[in-house]
Amino acid sequence: MEYNKSPPLIPLDGKYNANKMRESMANWVLATEQPFSIVEDDMFVYMMKTANPMFERISRATIKSDCFKVYEHEKKKLKALISNASNISLTTDCWKSSHQKIEYMVITGHFIDQNWRLLKRVLSFVHVPPPRTGLDIADGIYKCLKEWEIERKVFSISVDNASYNDKAVSTLKTNFSRVKKLPCGGRLFHVRCCAHILNLLVKDGLSRIENVIENVREAVKYINHSEARLQSFSNVAHQLQVHDRRLLIDVPIRWNSTYDMLSLAIKFKDVFPRYADYEPHFKHLPTEQDWENVASVCEVLKVFKVCTAGSDYPTANLYLIEVYKIKEAIDKGILSESKFIRDMTTKMKEKFDKYWGECHLLMAIAAVLDPRLKRRIIEFCYPNIYPADEASKNIQDVLNALELMYDEYLEMHDASIKESASYKSGSSRGGTSSGANEVSHGSRWDAFGEYIKNQR
């Protein structure tokens, strides 16, 4: 909803609209996640009456009811929007609520509207109680699709690489294929999340150097523990002419925050030993070898960081060249003179081959359909990602899939034309010349369509 375009609560005729005020309050409560009880707070009522003496206090039950009305109104608008989409792709994510201790799955729909804009909308939050199984996930997704009446429009489902997701998508694929012909024989239905695969790659690599990371983490944690230590460390940094941001502590389960911590800490590597002279209780001083290893790690992780931070909404056509860069960085690391880096990148390569050992068909097709890239992108990337014999096989596999998708599109298009012609024929009122024109017009386009088919 675009709040900045909402009509004023007091229009030009000067009449106060209490209903619009309640609707505005409901939108505010929903957008800012306020408790319903906020509308009964005396200071809130005082503020509102100060702004407009005609404001009337409402109860938490009333604002709750108003919020549900806003929800139903927005849901109706979204239903109308997605009803015009021919295909919808889904992404799912599961997590546990920190304050409720309840496990949820969010289902997001991605589609192109009538104005050729790529849109994404949250369709549902589904409570998935433990133990989370593939059938539970499949049931939750299917109920969501039935509610939105889009079960026949699903093109693909992108999920994390968990075993229960494999089972869920397999179940849904079987169900949908009974009532709908899936594109490319269903090979594009299950999409493994590329960002999650990158995350697994890095986590496996970092697991081999955890002792070095832990040493830097404990040093940063010690300094950030109190304002006095931070000030002392900052004074030493200024003496050594090191002017940069303060140290960051990472979130261990997020590799990109670990990269940020290491890449910033290394800028202060000369400050740490001087600070240790001032602080006798500082026992986590990284060695010179530790800093060399950190520098090498950051050089590798920088490639991953750039790949995952290139866009707020990365679409599939952007990923293949990034995968190529990552494979290039891993291969370079395996040939490194440093055993430390070889150990880390060897572990990464094992995970890379596990998930990208087979051709990622959807990612390749999306890249080829990008008019800036075309088929040259797979001819450029695949020989580096796969061995020579597999590269040529996968390139041909992508081209065959494109041929199949084109044939499927023609089949759907021809069926649509025939249905449209049948509808026009049935709804005509007997105008002879008009009917003759329609037949003539249709026959010309049919001939042209046949000509295009034969030119492939």
Side-chain angles (χ1 to χ4, degrees):
M1 170 178 265
E2 299 183 32
Y3 303 105
N4 57 338
K5 294 185 180 180
S6 299
L9 294 175
I10 302 180
L12 296 178
D13 60 10
K15 294 181 179 179
Y16 172 69
N17 191 328
N19 290 331
K20 291 300 296 183
M21 172 59 84
R22 281 176 50 180
E23 182 184 341
S24 178
M25 287 169 57
N27 279 301
W28 171 70
V29 167
L30 290 169
T32 59
E33 301 181 10
Q34 300 290 336
F36 295 136
S37 59
I38 188 70
V39 298
E40 297 178 346
D41 184 85
D42 290 338
M43 292 308 298
F44 174 81
V45 176
Y46 171 75
M47 175 185 69
M48 297 300 289
K49 279 191 171 292
T50 301
N52 191 326
M54 299 177 69
F55 174 77
E56 297 179 3
R57 179 197 291 261
I58 61 175
S59 68
R60 67 183 72 188
T62 300
I63 195 65
K64 178 180 178 181
S65 174
D66 289 347
C67 286
F68 273 106
K69 289 177 182 177
V70 170
Y71 167 77
E72 291 298 335
H73 176 68
E74 293 297 323
K75 184 177 180 181
K76 187 176 180 180
K77 284 169 54 180
L78 179 55
K79 206 165 190 177
L81 179 64
I82 63 177
S83 67
N84 293 318
S86 56
N87 288 297
I88 297 175
S89 292
L90 305 177
T91 56
T92 69
D93 194 16
C94 297
W95 80 97
K96 180 181 289 186
S97 169
S98 58
H99 61 285
Q100 292 179 304
K101 307 301 181 186
I102 295 176
E103 296 188 5
Y104 287 100
M105 173 176 63
V106 62
I107 303 171
T108 306
H110 307 255
F111 57 95
I112 296 174
D113 70 1
Q114 291 179 309
N115 297 318
W116 286 94
R117 296 178 302 172
L118 179 61
L119 302 177
K120 65 174 180 179
R121 295 290 186 270
V122 173
L123 301 180
S124 182
F125 286 90
V126 181
H127 172 40
V128 186
R132 189 186 302 161
T133 68
L135 291 177
D136 292 333
I137 299 293
D139 287 345
I141 294 175
Y142 191 76
K143 287 176 183 177
C144 169
L145 301 179
K146 286 287 288 184
E147 182 181 0
W148 289 95
E149 300 175 2
I150 55 173
E151 65 271 21
R152 291 178 177 268
K153 295 185 177 186
V154 177
F155 183 88
S156 67
I157 301 180
S158 299
V159 292
D160 288 347
N161 300 283
S163 57
Y164 56 77
N165 279 333
D166 290 345
K167 175 64 176 176
V169 176
S170 175
T171 301
L172 290 170
K173 181 178 176 181
T174 302
N175 293 344
F176 291 153
S177 62
R178 296 173 66 89
V179 295
K180 174 190 175 184
K181 185 176 181 181
L182 299 177
C184 207
R187 294 184 63 191
L188 306 181
F189 187 75
H190 182 186
V191 181
R192 297 186 182 277
C193 177
C194 293
H196 189 241
I197 293 174
L198 294 182
N199 188 51
L200 295 175
L201 285 179
V202 179
K203 285 177 67 176
D204 268 23
L206 293 181
S207 68
R208 303 300 295 267
I209 57 169
E210 186 57 40
N211 58 327
V212 175
I213 297 173
E214 187 63 25
N215 207 14
V216 175
R217 181 183 292 129
E218 289 302 318
V220 173
K221 192 183 297 183
Y222 179 89
I223 293 167
N224 280 354
H225 184 72
S226 71
E227 193 64 35
R229 293 176 185 173
L230 276 172
Q231 188 59 52
S232 176
F233 187 83
S234 179
N235 292 339
V236 174
H238 279 84
Q239 291 174 20
L240 296 175
Q241 301 299 307
V242 178
H243 303 287
D244 214 307
R245 295 182 301 161
R246 60 183 291 176
L247 296 169
L248 295 175
I249 189 67
D250 70 330
V251 180
I253 61 173
R254 292 176 53 205
W255 72 265
N256 53 334
S257 71
T258 300
Y259 167 78
D260 291 337
M261 177 187 72
L262 296 176
S263 60
L264 190 56
I266 200 171
K267 297 179 181 180
F268 292 92
K269 72 172 187 174
D270 295 328
V271 179
F272 283 95
R274 179 72 67 85
Y275 173 75
D277 294 338
Y278 286 94
E279 180 56 66
H281 298 293
F282 182 57
K283 304 295 184 184
H284 304 284
L285 181 63
T287 66
E288 190 62 34
Q289 184 61 51
D290 285 342
W291 288 122
E292 289 181 14
N293 292 337
V294 167
S296 300
V297 168
C298 288
E299 198 64 33
V300 175
L301 294 187
K302 184 178 180 180
V303 178
F304 287 82
K305 177 76 172 181
V306 171
C307 289
T308 55
S311 172
D312 292 332
Y313 194 1
T315 46
N317 61 303
L318 303 175
Y319 266 112
L320 184 57
I321 193 67
E322 304 299 347
V323 172
Y324 164 81
K325 292 176 186 175
I326 288 168
K327 179 61 162 54
E328 194 175 45
I330 291 175
D331 288 344
K332 182 180 177 182
I334 289 175
L335 299 175
S336 172
E337 295 180 358
S338 167
K339 183 177 182 302
F340 180 80
I341 293 300
R342 289 201 306 271
D343 286 346
M344 184 181 78
T345 50
T346 299
K347 191 72 173 175
M348 288 180 171
K349 187 176 185 305
E350 292 175 6
K351 191 71 76 174
F352 185 97
D353 291 340
K354 176 182 177 181
Y355 287 111
W356 278 314
E358 295 182 8
C359 174
H360 196 300
L361 198 57
L362 186 84
M363 183 168 59
I365 290 174
V368 172
L369 292 178
D370 188 323
R372 301 166 298 177
L373 306 175
K374 301 186 178 179
R375 64 179 287 177
R376 292 186 182 89
I377 188 63
I378 55 175
E379 293 169 349
F380 171 74
C381 292
Y382 274 21
N384 183 63
I385 296 176
Y386 305 104
D389 57 333
E390 290 185 26
S392 58
K393 174 182 172 295
N394 286 336
I395 289 172
Q396 190 58 50
D397 194 26
V398 174
L399 298 179
N400 291 341
L402 282 164
E403 291 270 348
L404 178 58
M405 289 186 70
Y406 181 73
D407 290 338
E408 289 174 350
Y409 172 78
L410 281 181
E411 185 181 329
M412 289 184 350
H413 179 265
D414 290 346
S416 176
I417 292 295
K418 288 179 181 177
E419 183 179 346
S420 177
S422 174
Y423 173 78
K424 287 181 180 179
S425 175
S427 61
S428 64
R429 293 292 181 265
T432 309
S433 61
S434 173
N437 286 339
E438 281 186 14
V439 172
S440 173
H441 178 76
S443 63
R444 289 199 307 271
W445 282 104
D446 288 345
F448 179 71
E450 288 298 321
Y451 169 77
I452 293 296
K453 290 180 186 179
N454 296 329
Q455 294 304 302
R456 289 194 295 138

